[in-house]
Amino acid sequence: MSELFDAVDALIASRATLPPPAERKRLRAAHGLTIDEVATALQVRRATVSGWESGKTEPRPPERDAYARLLKQLAELYPAPEEPAAPVPATFTGTAAPSEAPTLSTGPAPEAAAMTEHENTQTPAAAPVAAAAPAAETRPAPATRTSTSRRPAAKKAAPANTPAGGTDPRFENGPLAVLDVEDGKVLAYCTGGLVLDVPAKSLSSLVDWTLKEARLGQPKFVGPGKDADPLIVLTEAALERYGLPATLTEEERAAGRIPENHKVIKQLSRADWQLTKRGFGPWARIYRPAKGSDRQCVQLCIPSWNALDTRHWGAAGQLAPAELARLLGVYASRVMTPRGSTAVTGLELMTALHPPTYAVRDEETGALRQADEKTPGSLGKDPVDCAPCEAPDGHPLLKELGRFHVRGPGERLFEEAYDWARPMTDDECSLRHLVGLDVNMAFAAGANGLPVGLGAPTQVENPVFDPKLPGSWLVDLSHVDLSKVKVGKEWVQLDGSLLPSPFTPKGERPEGPAWYATPTVAYAVELGYDVAPTEAYVRYDNGRYLDGWYNRLRDAYLATMADLGVDADLSPQDFLTAMDGYKQRDPQMAIVASAIKATVKGGLGKLRERPRGEGWRPGEPWRALARPTWRPDIRAAVISRTRINLHRKIVKHAAFTGQYPIAILSDCVVYASAGETPLDFLPYREGKPLPGGFKLGVNPGLVKWEGTQSVLWGEEVRERHNAPELNLARYIKDGNVTDDDNGE
């Protein structure tokens, strides 16, 4: 009889009801699960799950029953949102912006969530009040609204490609506003060309207005996340109106904030508003402690206090309010609402895509609470110690070492970007030009598809190397001979003296055992050599944590470059033509592209943030160590893979053409060439590049033309500095070399 029951159960399972493909994807993303994690749990291939979510295929028994069970449990946690009725626009006393206001396509909906903790702070879990309850219960009646929506005069009209406000009625005016004062009135320039009259007379009332009436913010991207807090940008005129200094004194700049006894801070305190630990600086956060899901927090950005670093944001701080709202709005819609510097935003985007915890329903009370376990695929909410070899100098793990002890390769993991150069050969000196290639978004490409540790390391003695296991390995790679390596399945002969070692940032051949990240050791195996680690710190809890981060930033970069006339499907020659002067086509979008690239590098750098003053002494913990995102091992793995990706291209290019680089700096490589452009030495055949070699294009991992100088220029620069190995990649872009430059 039991066999009959089993047969009946199997028959029912074979017809298990499944939600539509789009809902399957939504449920997976809402719980922060990757396709790989679902595939592993169901013991199927990644492509199989992808086919189920796209509707190309349907699951069959026995996987269908398990898949239906998974989706059913996720649906209980994350019910499908009800189709909202067409929102009734609030009644304003002015004239609304016309419906034909320029809009911006932001691409597919991001699978991300707002971060719950801020770098180096204890940021409250907060959100605009309007998010806590239905709109009818939280919004004032139209007659009580004092703000005015109006279209600015023609000279203030929003530029083209300005993103319109969000579709979520709670945040219909977009993620941010730039405040300015005109004719005695405070105006809030929002995205989409909308301008609001601001009735607030003090900073505390401005915060109240922002949360209750402005309808600013960004909705959460996945179920476990939280809505992004509204961002208010204050111009110098707005600072003066609200009693704040237009610029900081030298002492305040050094401290990064205004004094705690400032009258505005006292005013906020009297109104029960609080500041985070970083105080009232260029990126201030003003909040009240959260009550359940009722979050109350506003982010301020003050350009005249250097909130928008000119290295990454160019002249953004000098733009007119409407133009600045457009620029920041594009960045917010494509990346996320800025939470600080580009580095801080890059780090918080990682956590936003993988929130540390998720909500569960308490069985006794029925109320929602945070789960005790971490969200699958996240780093969790608690920091973990790194391995001793991964710790930077001064870390508490190294406090037993002598103060002046210098750790060598056998004690310290040293994965950094290339800084290598060599003298030119006679044949290279006979050529006329030096041509630089730069890898687009190189570190983002290095993060794509990379397995990284999600938990604490496990020490292993004499391990068997596993290229799929993230970790740090103590191994001797000095036997790897670049004169004879495997390229694909074939052994090839190269001039190893003209190639940098792939195992050290300076390109020097290792002299003995050293610590390496997994991608570096895996490359030694790829080149055809055996490895025998003597020790390792591996992370069995791992996953492709940075995939969503990479995808979000890649899409943002490609969309912005497309706005600048550089599309992803251009031919090599058309790509070079499109890149010529692309920044002048739309200087504001060029700033956005620069900020996106800085978000990549800065976010990765924050993974190993060092002490920032505050009386720190070697051996003592510093503030960044309290973050679960302080992960030097992840940074090392990304840099390792980026360096290896570049070396692999160099080897394939050398094996096919016999050409070798003369200098490499991070993601820029320089070759001697008879012609002036990359097409004069890259082996394109009928428009197709060398497989696995350098390919011109805008996508991350492809290359662009960095610059061209003459061979005579290079020899003269090196002779003038008496440095035959001066790194010319540092100057290839414009050829400017100051007498103070020494190549270090």
Side-chain angles (χ1 to χ4, degrees), residues 202-557:
S202 66
L203 192 63
S204 61
S205 61
L206 172 64
V207 176
D208 277 320
W209 173 83
T210 302
L211 293 172
K212 296 178 180 178
E213 297 187 54
R215 297 185 186 179
L216 296 173
Q218 199 170 35
K220 63 180 181 179
F221 300 138
V222 294
K226 293 182 174 63
D227 299 322
D229 301 317
L231 174 65
I232 297 294
V233 184
L234 299 176
T235 63
E236 292 189 28
L239 290 172
E240 182 179 358
R241 168 61 64 92
Y242 291 117
L244 292 165
T247 59
L248 298 179
T249 65
E250 184 175 346
E251 182 179 353
E252 291 168 344
R253 283 197 302 270
R257 65 187 74 183
I258 59 176
E260 294 183 3
N261 61 358
H262 193 280
K263 62 180 182 179
V264 171
I265 297 181
K266 292 181 179 179
Q267 171 198 106
L268 292 171
S269 180
R270 287 194 299 269
D272 295 327
W273 292 109
Q274 300 180 27
L275 297 169
T276 56
K277 287 185 177 180
R278 66 168 49 189
F280 203 121
W283 290 94
R285 295 185 66 78
I286 304 173
Y287 72 96
R288 285 178 180 145
K291 297 179 181 178
S293 61
D294 184 8
R295 303 172 65 230
Q296 299 186 70
C297 186
V298 173
Q299 173 94 48
L300 298 184
C301 169
I302 306 178
S304 63
W305 294 7
N306 199 34
L308 302 175
D309 192 325
T310 55
R311 294 173 298 175
H312 310 137
W313 291 101
Q318 307 301 318
L319 294 175
E323 294 174 333
L324 182 56
R326 176 228 182 184
L327 186 154
L328 293 177
V330 171
Y331 180 90
S333 66
R334 292 177 176 173
V335 180
M336 68 182 300
T337 303
R339 296 287 300 274
S341 67
T342 51
V344 169
T345 303
L347 185 72
E348 296 209 2
L349 180 60
M350 295 179 194
T351 306
L353 290 158
H354 289 285
T357 60
Y358 58 94
V360 295
R361 194 168 297 281
D362 192 293
E363 295 182 359
E364 296 182 358
T365 65
L368 290 175
R369 62 173 178 82
Q370 284 192 336
D372 296 329
E373 64 273 12
K374 69 176 185 177
T375 304
S378 77
L379 299 181
K381 58 183 179 180
D382 299 316
V384 297
D385 283 336
C386 62
C389 62
E390 298 163 352
D393 292 339
H395 192 280
L397 288 175
L398 310 176
K399 62 183 178 182
E400 301 301 328
L401 296 178
R403 181 178 178 184
F404 300 104
H405 177 80
V406 178
R407 294 185 294 161
E411 299 174 285
R412 177 189 178 193
L413 177 69
F414 191 64
E415 296 282 11
E416 298 295 340
Y418 266 130
D419 186 354
W420 169 87
R422 62 169 176 82
M424 284 185 278
T425 65
D426 291 342
D427 288 342
E428 289 166 340
C429 287
S430 68
L431 300 174
R432 298 185 62 184
H433 303 286
L434 299 175
V435 181
L437 300 175
D438 183 76
V439 181
N440 292 314
M441 301 270 284
F443 294 99
N448 182 31
L450 176 67
V452 298
L454 301 178
T458 300
Q459 185 178 13
V460 183
E461 298 292 338
N462 298 314
V464 176
F465 176 68
D466 183 352
K468 296 181 180 180
L469 187 59
S472 300
W473 309 79
L474 181 61
V475 58
D476 189 349
L477 300 181
S478 61
H479 63 291
V480 178
D481 184 4
L482 295 180
S483 298
K484 184 181 180 181
V485 298
K486 266 189 174 180
V487 177
K489 297 182 179 180
E490 298 182 359
W491 287 92
V492 298
Q493 298 287 334
L494 301 173
D495 189 341
S497 65
L498 301 180
L499 285 171
S501 168
F503 309 128
T504 61
K506 291 292 185 181
E508 302 165 344
R509 186 168 180 168
E511 297 180 352
W515 286 98
Y516 302 101
T518 297
T520 302
V521 186
Y523 187 57
V525 176
E526 180 184 327
L527 293 176
Y529 291 86
D530 295 330
V531 297
T534 58
E535 186 182 359
Y537 287 91
V538 297
R539 289 170 169 84
Y540 295 110
D541 179 14
N542 59 73
R544 292 165 60 163
Y545 174 72
L546 295 173
D547 273 12
W549 184 80
Y550 161 78
N551 290 333
R552 180 95 175 140
L553 290 166
R554 175 204 60 197
D555 293 347
Y557 180 71

Side-chain angles (χ1 to χ4, degrees), residues 646-719:
L646 180 57
H647 196 275
R648 185 182 292 112
K649 289 180 171 64
I650 290 170
V651 166
K652 290 191 175 183
H653 184 84
F656 189 82
T657 67
Q659 299 170 332
Y660 296 84
I662 65 166
I664 310 173
L665 183 66
S666 187
D667 47 9
C668 177
V669 56
V670 176
Y671 283 90
S673 170
E676 295 185 8
T677 78
L679 289 177
D680 293 315
F681 72 94
L682 291 183
Y684 273 87
R685 290 185 175 180
E686 298 179 355
K688 296 182 179 180
L690 172 68
F694 295 105
K695 178 182 178 180
L696 291 167
V698 72
N699 275 289
L702 306 188
V703 298
K704 64 178 183 292
W705 184 9
E706 180 70 359
T708 295
Q709 305 297 329
S710 68
V711 168
L712 290 177
W713 164 86
E715 288 295 271
E716 188 275 330
V717 167
R718 285 178 164 178
E719 182 178 352

Side-chain angles (χ1 to χ4, degrees), residues 553-595:
L553 290 166
R554 175 204 60 197
D555 293 347
Y557 180 71
L558 292 181
T560 305
M561 292 301 292
D563 286 344
L564 291 164
V566 185
D567 295 314
D569 56 355
L570 295 174
S571 67
Q573 184 57 62
D574 289 342
F575 171 70
L576 293 178
T577 301
M579 287 294 292
D580 185 19
Y582 76 96
K583 293 183 178 180
Q584 281 68 50
R585 296 183 193 126
D586 189 334
Q588 292 176 31
M589 287 301 99
I591 292 174
V592 174
S594 173

